Amino acid sequence: MLRFRTAAILCAVFVVLGAVISGAGASDGLGKLGAVNALPGSFTVALSAALTVYTMTKWGLPVSTTQAVVGGIVGWNVFSDSPTDLASLTQIAGTWVASPILGALICFVMLFIVQNVFEQQVFVLSSNSHAETKP
C-alpha cells in the first residue's frame, strides 16, 4: 500500500508529464472547435466552465472540466454568431463515450493478467454478488 505523500507525488509527476507530452493535442482540438478570439470571450469561457464545475460538484454530480470548457466554447460561438466545427465536436463527444469503455477493457485485461498469469487473486464474488477485495 502506498502512503498518501508517495501517491500524491506520483500523481503530480504523471499529470505534469501528460500535460507536457500531449497537452498541445488537447489545446489544438479545442482550438478547432471554434475561435474564441476576444479577451472577454476567453474570460467568459473560463468563468462559465469554472461555475459549471463548481455547481455540479456542489450538487454531487460527476463533472469533467473538458466538458465544461467545450460547453463554454460552444456557448461563446452561439453568442458571438461564430461557427462551431461539428466534426471536432463529434470527435470530442466520441472520446467521452469511448474513454470509459476503453478504460474498462484495459482494466479487465490487466485484472485477467494479474489473476491468471501471476496467479494472484484480486477479488472474489461473494454470495450477495458484491465484489470483496482481498489483501
Side-chain angles (χ1 to χ4, degrees), residues 3 6 8-10 19 36 38 40 48 69 73 77 81 89 110 116 121:
R3 292 185 315 192
T6 306
I9 290 171
L10 283 172
V36 181
S48 68
V69 169
I73 292 172
N77 288 344
D81 202 28
L89 184 60
M110 291 175 64
N116 294 306
Q121 189 164 359

Side-chain angles (χ1 to χ4, degrees), residues 26-37 41-42 44-46 48-49 65-85 89 92:
S27 298
D28 186 47
L30 290 174
K32 289 179 184 175
L33 187 60
V36 181
N37 52 9
S42 299
T44 303
V45 168
S48 68
T65 53
T66 305
Q67 290 172 339
V69 169
V70 167
I73 292 172
V74 171
W76 173 257
N77 288 344
V78 170
F79 173 78
S80 65
D81 202 28
S82 300
T84 299
D85 183 21
L89 184 60
I92 291 168

Side-chain angles (χ1 to χ4, degrees), residues 48-125:
S48 68
L51 290 174
T52 299
V53 170
Y54 174 79
T55 303
M56 291 183 69
T57 301
K58 279 297 194 183
W59 290 347
L61 298 171
V63 62
S64 165
T65 53
T66 305
Q67 290 172 339
V69 169
V70 167
I73 292 172
V74 171
W76 173 257
N77 288 344
V78 170
F79 173 78
S80 65
D81 202 28
S82 300
T84 299
D85 183 21
L86 293 179
S88 294
L89 184 60
T90 303
Q91 184 178 13
I92 291 168
T95 61
W96 293 337
V97 173
S99 181
I101 294 170
L102 184 60
L105 289 173
I106 290 172
C107 181
F108 177 78
V109 169
M110 291 175 64
L111 182 63
F112 180 82
I113 290 170
V114 167
Q115 285 193 161
N116 294 306
V117 174
F118 296 109
E119 297 178 359
Q120 296 290 316
Q121 189 164 359
V122 178
F123 75 91
V124 241
L125 290 177

